[in-house]
Each structure stands twice: as structure tokens, then as C-alpha cells.
Amino acid sequence: GQQVMQIPQYQHVQEGEDFTTYCNSSTTLSNIQWYKQRPGGHPVFLIQLVKSGEVKKQKRLTFQFGEAKKNSSLHITATQTTDVGTYFCAYRGYNTDKLIFGTGTRLQVFP
Amino acid sequence: GAGVSQSPRYKVTKRGQDVALRCDPISGHVSLYWYRQALGQGPEFLTYFNYEAQQDKSGLPNDRFSAERPEGSISTLTIQRTEQRDSAMYRCASSLEAGYYEQYFGPGTRLTVT
């Protein structure tokens, strides 16, 4: 499976600022999932998107799946120190359940 | 336990030795996945099972790596004749069913080959 690229690789923000990470694929994806991994921890599932143009919100987090289903974004409004970690997008290929993870975006939040 | 458990949490072995890493999924979860994660990178798929059947082993790097899940519950990932390049965090995940379901990851086994 083709790896999806995430940008930026790193992001340092002041607490209270917004943050966005982008996940880009050169091919159409059937679905996209987002995971958060705290430093020293394991990946934790956040959400799954499957429909073209889908937007889902979880409190301060907004997830989007592009119209062409080739890209996705995660936006965090008013970051908090608890948002620190690495955010990965991942997709499941057609006719398989294996997950292919993106390169990840590491977020650091300064108080 | 409530979550996925893995043992051992840390394993240091000498090059050339065989190692067996164990994963105990969430009770009742049909699907079980193995990943390898290098520092600062995303998990890299190795193999997965639905019940006891290995569905996809395309991610296993070479024939030194094998996995089994004989009774559809606990799984073992075995690495024979370990090499230094095998050093990594090995993670197991499980999901309720095959298909569009979230995966629950375990704490991982940190393998160091000296």
C-alpha cells in the first residue's frame, strides 16, 4: 500500500492557538482514520471518515475528508497542553483490513 | 483486562536468537493485527488475523518473521535468528470485527537486538 504524506512534520504552537494537519494521497481512498499517540504511549483511535466531503466534529477537533477522497485534515481549535502528541492518519485499502499509516505530525503546545 | 495486553514489554536479545512476542487482544475481538513502529514513525503493518485465520501477511519483512493465532484469541509473533535491524517497537491491535472498525492498540513490546 502507498504511504500517505502528512504535513507539517512538526508544529509548535502557543496554547490557545489553532492547529491543522493535512493528510494527502495520490490515489483515491475508501476511508480515512485518525489516531493520536501521546509521547511514550500507543496510538488511540479518534475517528473514521468514509464519505466524500464528510466533516465530523469532536469538541475542539474537526475532521474533514476531501471531495475527491484523496486528502483529509484535522483541525484543533484553541489548543491545550493535553493536545500534545503525534497525530496519524491511516487508511484501509480496498478488500483488506490492514491499515496504512501516514507519516504523522508531531504537535508541541507551549503553555 | 479491559485493553490489549502484550508481553514482554521489553525484550533484549542477542543477535541470532529467536524471540516470541505475545499479544492478548480484547476479549471477543475477531481481528488481530501486528505492526512494527520505528521511533518517530507511524506503525508499519506486518500481518493480521480474523479469528485464527491469517488474512494478510504481506507486511512481514522476510521469512524469519511468522505469526500465529491458533485458537482465535492470543497471538504470537516469532522472529527467528534476530538481527540488529529487527530492533523496534512491536505493536498489536485488535478490533471487534473485520471491516470498518477502529483498532485498539496495546502498549507494545520494545525489542532490542544487541
Side-chain angles (χ1 to χ4, degrees):
Chain A
Q2 175 187 312
Q3 190 176 48
V4 289
M5 301 304 296
Q6 284 184 249
I7 54 172
Q9 191 174 3
Y10 302 100
Q11 182 90 59
H12 297 173
V13 299
Q14 200 77 34
E15 190 173 22
E17 292 180 337
D18 292 357
F19 160 76
T20 304
T21 173
Y22 300 91
C23 180
N24 298 302
S25 170
S26 59
T27 58
T28 303
L29 305 174
S30 62
N31 60 86
I32 198 88
Q33 295 185 355
W34 286 91
Y35 288 79
K36 176 184 178 181
Q37 186 170 11
R38 293 182 186 271
H42 57 272
V44 175
F45 175 84
L46 295 176
I47 209 155
Q48 175 168 265
L49 305 170
V50 298
K51 298 177 183 176
S52 169
E54 190 170 11
V55 178
K56 288 188 177 180
K57 293 190 176 184
Q58 290 179 350
K59 298 182 180 179
R60 295 178 294 103
L61 276 60
T62 302
F63 304 84
Q64 280 190 291
F65 201 7
E67 293 289 342
K69 300 182 75 173
K70 289 184 176 182
N71 52 68
S72 180
S73 65
L74 158 57
H75 179 83
I76 303 178
T77 303
T79 54
Q80 301 175 358
T81 55
T82 53
D83 296 324
V84 165
T86 301
Y87 293 84
F88 293 101
C89 63
Y91 72 94
R92 182 182 281 106
Y94 292 95
N95 300 318
T96 176
D97 284 339
K98 72 180 187 184
L99 276 183
I100 305 298
F101 279 79
T103 50
T105 295
R106 194 169 90 187
L107 173 64
Q108 182 63 262
V109 180
F110 295 107
Chain B
V4 177
S5 61
Q6 292 185 244
S7 61
R9 294 290 308 276
Y10 303 90
K11 177 71 177 177
V12 180
T13 190
K14 294 190 175 183
R15 188 178 56 185
Q17 297 293 307
D18 297 352
V19 294
L21 312 181
R22 173 185 164 126
C23 172
D24 199 342
I26 294 172
S27 178
H29 277 200
V30 166
S31 302
L32 185 148
Y33 308 80
W34 282 101
Y35 296 88
R36 180 168 65 177
Q37 187 172 21
L39 201 60
Q41 297 184 20
E44 174 193 11
F45 169 81
L46 295 176
T47 186
Y48 85 95
F49 296 82
N50 286 337
Y51 299 101
E52 73 283 354
Q54 192 169 20
Q55 300 293 319
D56 186 336
K57 54 181 182 179
S58 62
L60 295 177
N62 51 61
D63 60 9
R64 295 186 297 106
F65 288 72
S66 62
E68 62 174 10
R69 193 187 184 198
E71 297 180 1
S73 178
I74 293 168
S75 177
T76 302
L77 176 70
T78 301
I79 309 173
Q80 296 179 312
R81 305 179 303 281
T82 52
E83 301 177 5
Q84 285 190 321
R85 59 179 171 156
D86 299 333
S87 296
M89 177 72 82
Y90 288 83
R91 295 197 186 275
C92 173
S94 70
S95 66
L96 184 61
E97 290 184 20
Y100 293 111
Y101 284 91
E102 65 188 270
Q103 295 187 14
Y104 295 83
F105 280 79
T109 295
R110 169 72 66 188
L111 175 66
T112 302
V113 182
T114 61

